[in-house]
């Protein structure tokens, strides 16, 4: 029978529940178990797809085209399993589904209530991810903090799942803040006690308590104290200290016996974890001998989580290029004709990631021109590819007003335009080109050199595309179209041949990068930037 692990958080948000869930998943996978992960988000948006990056960070896209919470990126990077549409559920999606069922008469005239109708919808989602993936273990993270009013239906649903599958098939992990008071030089356990009491009052007794702290716990009596007050076994109180390298988290938790405890509590018969690959990764990370500076030019640079997967993909490439990647955060709105060269001259390479809207676009165009003329390694992602096309049309074809219809609908040269079936009138949520699509690579190109193959599949999230009316003119001017959809209609990638590394891609390669398997395009950028 599938086993279910639920991860909740207490005291404050942002404790790293997602990293804890992902680390447990990685440890169980290293014991030979098939693991699936999902995130339950209490906010009322149907999905993060229409939310500002400043509000919620990046939108992570799965292979099947679901727009999800950024924590799913952590799950995929740690566990190395593709997630799906059953991997992220929000309050908005729950109520949307429940109301649709009520309108269709599926409740047979019943009064629709939180219990059982809303909780049944949540439980159905939890069970479905296991069925879809045939997982041995499903790890479900509940967003927010215990006590949040919007999270109560989710807590009730996971309580019911525990009752339905039995204690031997369900496990509750509660991640709590253990604050350290510098004035008195001690950790304080009271916030954890109160948080667990709140969780117990909602019918859930945690089996494992993970203590998040910035300071190493020197006073080991704290573990016994929390175990006694919170009614858990003493070895089930586990320290989770802030680490300099994110990917050390599984090894740190395993030092406390995390996977042994999980297997014991769930009655799972699995061999000891094979940590060799992960230990080799951490050794590689810690032994890097050089540094390289990559400029990340974007419009959401004030919140680094807006580009979380791009940042991680850059670091992954650095691990395998024997260099630490230092990221220079460059706000494209602040780049002008008078300062852009001095700002950009401080970096070894540049990545221009995705985004929407016209703010900061002119600074991005200056960036692309600088990289093209000065032979600075450049990787343009989604919007970054579109900006490269616009800059080419302006500089190489002499179309001074060349633009995207997204930014200037009055332009006479819309080199980037709506995809077929897209327009300003359709609803914004879930209507982009989403998920994995194939791409054929032109032989002899930088793309082929990076991927070492002629056909690939990558994840997309966009509404605009290269306008084929300008394909022939731009190619004659020197822009190489190096990747097309199999039917030849959609331009997927562009590049310059007389350049150490200049690639623009319409898709999002960052979503498929892994710490132990860097994405080839980020490898190409970092390698070109080091040399």
């Amino acid at each position: 029978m599938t086993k279910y692990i639920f991860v909740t958080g207490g005291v404050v948000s942002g404790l790293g529940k997602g990293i804890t869930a992902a680390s447990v998943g990685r440890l169980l996978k290293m014991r030979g178990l098939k693991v699936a992960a999902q995130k339950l988000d209490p906010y009322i948006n149907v999905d993060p797809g229409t939310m500002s990056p400043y509000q919620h960070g990046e939108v992570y896209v799965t292979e099947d085209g679901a727009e999800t919470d950024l924590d799913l990126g952590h799950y995929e990077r740690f566990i190395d399993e593709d997630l799906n549409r059953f991997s992220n559920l929000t309050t908005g999606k729950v109520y949307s589904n429940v109301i649709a069922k009520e309108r269709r008469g599926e409740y047979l005239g019943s009064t629709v209530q939180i219990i059982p109708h809303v909780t049944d919808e949540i439980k159905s989602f939890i069970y479905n991810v296991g069925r879809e993936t045939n997982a041995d273990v499903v790890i479900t993270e509940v967003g927010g903090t215990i006590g949040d009013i919007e999270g109560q239906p989710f807590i009730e649903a996971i309580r019911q799942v525990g009752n339905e599958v039995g204690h031997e098939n369900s496990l509750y992990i509660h991640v709590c803040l253990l604050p350290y008071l510098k004035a008195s030089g001690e950790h304080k356990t009271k916030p954890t006690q109160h948080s667990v009491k709140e969780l117990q009052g909602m019918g859930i007794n945690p089996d494992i308590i993970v203590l998040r702290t910035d300071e190493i716990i020197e006073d080991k009596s704290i573990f016994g104290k929390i175990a006694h007050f919170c009614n858990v076994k003493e070895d089930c109180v586990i320290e989770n200290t802030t680490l300099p390298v994110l990917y050390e988290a599984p090894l740190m938790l395993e030092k406390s016996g995390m996977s042994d405890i999980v297997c014991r509590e769930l009655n799972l018969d699995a061999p000891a974890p094979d940590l060799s690959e992960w230990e080799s990764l951490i050794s590689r990370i810690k032994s890097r001998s050089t540094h390289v500076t990559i400029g990340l030019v974007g419009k959401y640079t004030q919140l680094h989580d807006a580009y979380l997967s791009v940042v991680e993909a850059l670091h992954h490439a650095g691990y395998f290029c024997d260099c630490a990647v230092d990221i220079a955060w460059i706000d494209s709105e602040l780049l002008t004709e008078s300062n852009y060269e001095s700002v950009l001259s401080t970096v070894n390479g540049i990545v221009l990631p995705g985004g929407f809207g016209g703010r900061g676009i002119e600074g991005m165009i200056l960036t692309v021109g600088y990289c093209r003329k000065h032979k600075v390694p450049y990787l343009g992602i989604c919007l970054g590819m579109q900006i490269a096309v616009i800059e080419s049309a302006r500089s190489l074809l002499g179309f001074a007003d060349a633009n995207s219809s997204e930014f200037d609908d009055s332009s006479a040269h819309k080199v980037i335009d709506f995809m077929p079936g897209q327009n300003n009138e359709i609803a914004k949520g879930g209507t982009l080109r989403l998920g994995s699509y194939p791409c054929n690579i032109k032989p002899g190109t930088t793309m082929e050199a990076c991927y070492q193959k002629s056909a690939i599949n990558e994840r997309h999230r966009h509404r605009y595309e290269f306008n084929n009316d300008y394909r022939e003119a731009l190619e004659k001017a020197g822009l190489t179209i190096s990747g097309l959809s199999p039917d030849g209609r959609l331009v997927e990638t562009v590049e310059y041949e007389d350049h150490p590394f200049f690639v623009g891609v319409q898709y999002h390669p960052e979503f498929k990068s892994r710490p132990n398997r860097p994405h080839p395009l980020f490898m190409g950028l970092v390698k070109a930037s080091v040399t």
Side-chain angles (χ1 to χ4, degrees):
M1 183 176 181
T2 300
K3 308 287 185 175
Y4 295 89
I5 298 174
F6 300 101
V7 180
T8 57
V11 185
V12 296
S13 61
L15 286 178
K17 298 189 301 297
I19 299 299
T20 299
S23 297
V24 171
R26 183 72 204 187
L27 291 171
L28 295 179
K29 183 174 181 178
M30 289 191 287
R31 296 186 78 122
L33 297 166
K34 184 168 177 55
V35 180
Q38 66 179 180
K39 173 82 178 286
L40 307 181
D41 271 310
Y43 54 73
I44 300 175
N45 304 68
V46 172
D47 59 44
T50 58
M51 296 172 71
S52 165
Y54 285 126
Q55 287 279 317
H56 203 67
E58 75 172 6
V59 175
Y60 192 82
V61 179
T62 59
E63 283 285 299
D64 61 355
E67 294 176 290
T68 70
D69 180 80
L70 58 80
D71 272 321
L72 269 70
H74 290 313
Y75 303 161
E76 286 204 354
R77 286 187 285 272
F78 275 74
I79 304 172
D80 200 10
E81 295 285 345
D82 288 339
L83 304 181
N84 56 43
R85 60 193 176 92
F86 292 113
S87 299
N88 195 201
L89 181 66
T90 68
T91 295
K93 193 175 293 182
V94 171
Y95 279 94
S96 179
N97 292 347
V98 168
I99 290 168
K101 288 180 179 179
E102 185 274 333
R103 292 289 83 188
R104 293 194 298 265
E106 291 187 26
Y107 297 127
L108 303 178
S110 297
T111 300
V112 180
Q113 298 177 294
I114 300 296
I115 303 173
H117 302 98
V118 169
T119 51
D120 281 353
E121 189 69 25
I122 298 170
K123 288 190 297 181
S124 174
F125 217 82
I126 294 170
Y127 291 134
N128 276 337
V129 74
R131 295 190 193 107
E132 286 285 313
T133 58
N134 196 30
D136 298 311
V137 181
V138 173
I139 301 176
T140 302
E141 176 194 350
V142 181
T145 307
I146 293 303
D148 294 345
I149 188 169
E150 62 266 32
Q152 291 178 4
F154 292 98
I155 300 301
E156 172 60 20
I158 67 171
R159 183 196 68 79
Q160 291 182 23
V161 171
N163 282 348
E164 291 169 6
V165 303
H167 186 69
E168 69 279 7
N169 295 311
S170 59
L171 181 79
Y172 299 94
I173 299 175
H174 193 50
V175 183
C176 273
L177 176 68
L178 186 72
Y180 180 80
L181 298 187
K182 290 185 177 180
S184 58
E186 60 182 339
H187 287 92
K188 289 296 185 180
T189 65
K190 196 64 70 178
T192 295
Q193 294 176 45
H194 281 298
S195 180
V196 171
K197 182 179 179 182
E198 180 89 20
L199 185 59
Q200 290 170 335
M202 302 175 79
I204 294 176
N205 293 304
D207 301 287
I208 298 173
I209 295 174
V210 175
L211 302 176
R212 276 290 290 117
T213 177
D214 288 331
E215 305 285 341
I216 294 173
I217 302 172
E218 301 289 353
D219 181 3
K220 303 307 178 185
S221 67
I222 284 176
F223 297 100
K225 181 178 181 181
I226 290 175
H228 177 74
F229 278 102
C230 298
N231 196 30
V232 300
K233 299 169 185 174
E234 187 165 341
D235 69 347
C236 290
V237 181
I238 293 176
E239 181 177 0
N240 184 346
T241 309
T242 302
L243 296 165
V245 177
L246 182 69
Y247 299 106
E248 285 189 89
L251 300 181
M252 177 189 63
L253 292 178
E254 189 60 11
K255 284 181 180 177
S256 299
M258 174 64 92
S259 70
D260 281 339
I261 294 166
V262 169
C263 289
R264 181 190 73 200
E265 297 299 311
L266 287 174
N267 195 26
L268 279 167
D269 184 14
D274 179 2
L275 303 176
S276 57
E277 182 187 9
W278 212 255
E279 288 172 339
S280 176
L281 169 68
I282 300 304
S283 176
R284 184 189 292 269
I285 292 172
K286 291 186 174 181
S287 63
R288 289 169 292 170
S289 60
T290 61
H291 284 257
V292 65
T293 301
I294 302 295
L296 193 155
V297 180
K299 60 174 71 178
Y300 313 120
T301 53
Q302 292 176 16
L303 180 68
H304 294 180
D305 273 0
Y307 302 113
L308 180 59
S309 291
V310 173
V311 170
E312 290 304 309
L314 287 168
H315 289 317
H316 299 166
Y319 302 158
F320 283 77
C321 292
D322 189 33
C323 68
V325 176
D326 302 319
I327 296 175
W329 296 89
I330 301 172
D331 187 340
S332 62
E333 272 197 288
L334 302 181
L335 293 177
T336 65
E337 288 280 1
S338 62
N339 71 4
Y340 79 96
E341 289 196 345
S342 62
V343 172
L344 299 178
S345 66
T346 62
V347 302
N348 305 113
I350 285 173
V351 59
L352 204 165
F356 296 91
R359 183 170 56 83
I361 294 302
E362 292 304 318
M364 295 180 187
I365 293 172
L366 290 172
T367 299
V368 171
Y370 178 86
C371 292
R372 179 178 57 81
K373 288 181 285 188
H374 294 277
K375 307 297 184 184
V376 175
Y378 173 84
L379 176 60
I381 298 171
C382 196
L383 174 62
M385 184 199 101
Q386 296 175 2
I387 296 297
V389 174
I390 293 169
E391 198 280 332
S392 298
R394 290 187 182 184
S395 299
L396 304 182
L397 296 181
F399 299 150
D401 72 334
N403 219 321
S404 167
S405 59
E406 179 183 10
F407 314 135
D408 182 8
D409 196 45
S410 65
S411 169
H413 299 97
K414 299 185 185 72
V415 292
I416 302 296
D417 208 349
F418 278 117
M419 298 185 66
Q422 298 280 352
N423 58 66
N424 280 323
E425 305 305 318
I426 63 175
K428 296 292 186 288
T431 60
L432 302 169
R433 187 181 194 230
L434 294 166
S436 182
Y437 287 91
C439 169
N440 292 339
I441 296 174
K442 182 179 179 180
T445 58
T446 302
M447 281 285 294
E448 186 186 51
C450 288
Y451 280 94
Q452 294 292 301
K453 57 177 68 173
S454 60
I456 58 172
N457 282 271
E458 293 280 4
R459 301 181 194 180
H460 293 65
R461 183 175 182 254
H462 63 105
R463 194 185 305 279
Y464 297 86
E465 66 173 0
F466 187 112
N467 185 342
N468 284 325
D469 291 344
Y470 295 89
R471 185 188 291 192
E472 183 179 354
L474 283 167
E475 284 191 290
K476 285 182 179 179
L479 184 68
T480 298
I481 294 175
S482 53
L484 294 169
S485 59
D487 61 8
R489 294 176 56 202
L490 300 179
V491 173
E492 294 279 12
T493 74
V494 300
E495 59 185 69
Y496 286 112
E497 293 180 1
D498 59 340
H499 197 287
F501 188 92
F502 190 108
V503 176
V505 297
Q506 186 58 76
Y507 49 82
H508 288 267
E510 68 270 26
F511 294 148
K512 298 185 78 168
S513 185
R514 304 288 179 263
N516 53 341
R517 195 174 66 256
H519 193 283
L521 289 180
F522 285 91
M523 283 285 286
L525 174 69
V526 172
K527 280 182 180 178
S529 301
V530 171
T531 55

